[in-house]
Amino acid sequence: MDLSRHEQVALIVRYVNQSFEIQERFIGFYRTLQTDGASLATLIKSTLSALGLDISALRGQCYDGAANMRGPYKGVATRILSENPLAYYVHCYAHILNLCVVDMVSCIPVVRNAFGILQALRNFIEVSSKRHAVFEKITSQKTYSAGPATLKSLSDTRWNCRVEAIRAVLENFDEMVQALNEIAHGGSKAGTEAYALLRNVQDFNFLYCMFFMRRVLMQTNHLSKFLQSKDFTYQTAMAMAKSTVSVLKEMRSDDFASQTFNHVNELCQKNGYSGPCVPRKPVIPTKLGGGVKSSFEKPEDYYRTEILYSTLDTLIEEVEDRFSENDLFIFKSLADVLSSESPSDESVGAVSTTYSIDQEDLNSEINLFSRMFKDGIADKSNEEEERTQLEKRLRFFREMALRDTLPNLSKLYVLYLTIPVTTASAERSFSSLRQLKTYLRTTMTDARVSNLAILQIEKGGHAVNILDVVTRFASRKDRRLQFF
């Protein structure tokens, strides 16, 4: 929704050029009065039709996980699939990862409470100009500062905000404590709230969650940035997610848990903060069948098992489960055919049937290309080892100019690269909308907003001949000619 309270829809078209390079182009912003599946599907179809694009040529659609977009009965994806079964729906991988992180944070009570304190800190200091001035005066006296100078807000819909919020707190922790102390012991009415926040941040639970969550979220942040690129494909997304899961499983170790616990414990002892403790549980009297004591002999065991391991297990399970949502058989078959030297008959058959390709012709092209690739790649430099097998084969296919020689494989490469896997480009376009439609431009028409957005977003795509623009503008009305 923009400043005029108009619901705007951003449309991005993804295609592959003659050099097998992925292109994503912003079509425009389109106002919609309704956000139900039927209205949005009609908007998409009418827009594509107006641009001369046949919906039957659509080979993929990517949205977030909202019910109006992915609903199995009335969602946009379902309605378009009913008209074109080859327009496969992909749940945006960047949104999937964000859902994994949101669920992880909300499932573990100690971690959830730590992030609640984090947001309360930001609201307390940054919302008030007076309290921010106290914090700013203290941070300005730092001799060295490599991190952010202000506290960051949290949001369930903004990617990467959590790791930046943690970094901001840890980089400015001493200054933040000093500012809270000054406010708590001053004459301000906010002294009580400052004292309560001070007690919360000078607590082992809060610091423990901040330190180990920074390490965890840094790993997911790398994956998130990768998933916001337009150049990755289904196979590279799954490979990157698998690598991230492997790193998270390696972090689930006694060494990492002990290292984090000892570091935070030393920090608390050095500064006189409250130390680690196992929370008390209500004990049922023995005569009623209770009397069982805590199973944790030391606080370190509790923090390792109930907090660190539980958090990592939740995140790993969420990533493995949610990322498998887009594991369509046709995607796996395409990846097998295009990256394997000898793809399975099942994969070749599925691809041939789905995209109406003669199976014998496709097999012969695969055999010929595999032989050419094997002979031609042997003398390549070591830089090829850093690429995936599909990227190596695609690069060789492009360098050898085999588009016309092997038309079926060429068609499959184009299809595979065309399938969208992220909506990051559409999300970024709304940043331009906020820059264009300000509070001084709220009466701007929707068509003008969309056209200005195209100029802003696609400014690096094509060179504009200014003289041609002036000539065409002047020719619209005779009166303008005397000024040019």
Side-chain angles (χ1 to χ4, degrees):
M1 182 182 295
D2 59 22
L3 289 178
S4 300
R5 287 182 167 77
H6 294 170
E7 197 73 44
Q8 301 283 359
V9 177
L11 293 183
I12 304 289
V13 170
R14 179 182 172 110
Y15 63 94
V16 177
N17 62 17
Q18 293 295 318
S19 300
F20 294 97
E21 296 172 340
I22 297 173
Q23 305 291 322
E24 288 189 353
R25 290 288 179 257
F26 174 74
I27 295 180
F29 290 117
Y30 297 90
R31 184 184 177 186
T32 178
L33 301 178
Q34 301 291 333
T35 58
D36 58 284
S39 301
L40 294 177
T42 302
L43 172 64
I44 293 173
K45 290 185 291 185
S46 61
T47 303
L48 294 178
S49 178
L51 295 172
L53 300 175
D54 190 354
I55 195 173
S56 63
L58 189 64
R59 290 297 176 265
Q61 45 182 331
C62 185
Y63 315 113
D64 59 18
N68 60 339
M69 306 306 293
R70 59 170 294 180
Y73 302 107
K74 297 183 179 181
V76 174
T78 303
R79 292 177 182 273
I80 293 180
L81 276 170
S82 64
E83 297 186 27
N84 180 6
L86 296 181
Y88 295 105
Y89 164 68
V90 178
H91 187 182
C92 171
Y93 279 106
H95 280 91
I96 289 177
L97 179 62
N98 188 59
L99 290 175
C100 295
V101 176
V102 170
D103 287 349
M104 172 195 67
V105 171
S106 61
C107 285
I108 311 299
V110 177
V111 176
R112 179 199 61 210
N113 296 340
F115 277 96
I117 296 171
L118 201 63
Q119 182 63 35
L121 274 172
R122 189 265 173 190
N123 293 340
F124 180 75
I125 292 178
E126 298 296 340
V127 170
S128 168
S129 58
K130 295 181 180 179
R131 294 193 289 268
H132 175 75
V134 175
F135 178 71
E136 189 177 38
K137 180 188 69 174
I138 296 173
T139 54
S140 64
Q141 299 172 0
K142 294 176 65 175
T143 56
Y144 175 76
S145 177
T150 58
L151 303 183
K152 307 299 181 182
S153 179
L154 300 177
S155 172
D156 285 346
T157 58
R158 201 168 72 249
W159 303 327
N160 308 333
C161 64
R162 293 173 185 81
V163 67
E164 294 299 328
I166 293 176
R167 280 192 61 222
V169 166
L170 294 182
E171 293 286 346
N172 301 282
F173 187 78
D174 293 336
E175 291 74 22
M176 183 185 64
V177 169
Q178 187 177 347
L180 289 174
N181 257 317
E182 185 174 328
I183 298 171
H185 293 90
S188 171
K189 294 181 179 179
T192 304
E193 188 177 353
Y195 179 75
L197 287 172
L198 190 62
R199 292 289 301 272
N200 280 302
V201 299
Q202 292 178 328
D203 181 72
F204 183 90
N205 287 348
F206 176 77
L207 289 171
Y208 183 82
C209 290
M210 291 297 100
F211 274 98
F212 96 82
M213 283 303 298
R214 179 174 64 172
R215 286 285 305 276
V216 173
L217 292 177
M218 283 177 65
Q219 297 300 326
T220 60
N221 191 37
H222 294 315
L223 178 59
S224 179
K225 289 181 178 179
F226 173 79
L227 295 177
Q228 295 176 43
S229 170
K230 68 178 178 62
D231 296 321
F232 78 96
T233 61
Y234 161 78
Q235 189 182 48
T236 52
M238 297 306 297
M240 191 69 174
K242 185 177 180 180
S243 299
T244 302
V245 168
S246 298
V247 174
L248 294 175
K249 288 181 177 179
E250 291 176 0
M251 292 176 62
R252 194 188 185 282
S253 64
D254 292 345
D255 291 339
F256 175 67
S258 298
Q259 180 183 2
T260 305
F261 182 87
N262 293 334
H263 176 71
V264 178
N265 195 26
E266 290 175 5
L267 181 65
C268 290
Q269 291 177 355
K270 178 182 177 181
N271 294 279
Y273 301 157
S274 59
C277 62
V278 179
R280 292 184 60 186
K281 294 183 179 181
V283 180
I284 302 175
T286 306
K287 62 181 180 179
L288 298 178
V292 180
K293 297 183 178 180
S294 174
S295 59
F296 303 106
E297 298 180 358
K298 299 184 297 183
E300 183 177 353
D301 298 335
Y302 165 75
Y303 284 93
R304 180 181 63 249
T305 305
E306 294 296 314
I307 300 179
L308 193 146
Y309 283 1
S310 296
T311 302
L312 287 173
D313 290 342
T314 301
L315 180 58
I316 291 170
E317 183 180 354
E318 287 287 331
V319 172
E320 291 179 337
D321 181 54
R322 290 185 180 272
F323 271 73
S324 62
E325 176 183 345
N326 293 329
D327 281 354
L328 301 182
F329 179 69
I330 187 60
F331 293 170
K332 294 181 178 180
S333 300
L334 272 172
D336 185 26
V337 169
L338 298 176
S339 61
S340 301
E341 183 178 344
S342 300
S344 66
D345 294 336
E346 188 178 16
S347 297
V348 176
V351 170
S352 302
T353 303
T354 302
Y355 295 110
S356 302
I357 298 175
D358 186 89
Q359 188 167 347
E360 291 186 1
D361 286 346
L362 180 57
N363 271 319
S364 63
E365 290 188 15
I366 293 173
N367 294 333
L368 177 59
F369 178 65
S370 296
R371 184 73 257 179
M372 293 175 64
F373 177 76
K374 187 176 182 180
D375 295 339
I377 206 67
D379 56 347
K380 290 290 183 180
S381 60
N382 291 333
E383 68 176 5
E384 293 292 339
E385 297 179 1
E386 300 178 359
R387 299 174 178 270
T388 64
Q389 191 67 12
L390 190 145
E391 290 173 329
K392 293 179 186 178
R393 295 171 71 91
L394 176 59
R395 182 178 181 181
F396 182 79
F397 192 92
R398 182 170 55 240
E399 290 175 350
M400 297 298 293
L402 299 175
R403 173 184 284 272
D404 297 327
T405 307
L406 304 175
N408 291 322
L409 274 179
S410 174
K411 176 183 177 181
L412 293 181
Y413 274 119
V414 171
L415 285 170
Y416 186 74
L417 295 175
T418 302
I419 296 173
V421 285
T422 179
T423 61
S425 296
E427 300 287 349
R428 282 191 290 266
S429 68
F430 286 104
S431 299
S432 296
L433 178 61
R434 286 192 292 269
Q435 296 172 1
L436 295 171
K437 198 165 187 178
T438 64
Y439 73 96
L440 295 175
R441 295 177 172 181
T442 54
T443 58
M444 188 188 305
T445 62
D446 296 323
R448 180 173 174 80
V449 170
S450 182
N451 292 332
L452 288 176
I454 292 175
L455 291 175
Q456 170 70 13
I457 296 170
E458 298 292 337
K459 58 186 176 182
H462 304 282
V464 178
N465 189 328
I466 302 298
L467 181 59
D468 183 44
V469 173
V470 171
T471 303
R472 292 178 61 182
F473 175 75
S475 64
R476 295 291 181 91
K477 289 187 178 180
D478 294 338
R479 183 174 178 274
R480 294 173 178 168
L481 295 176
Q482 58 185 316
F483 297 106
F484 294 96

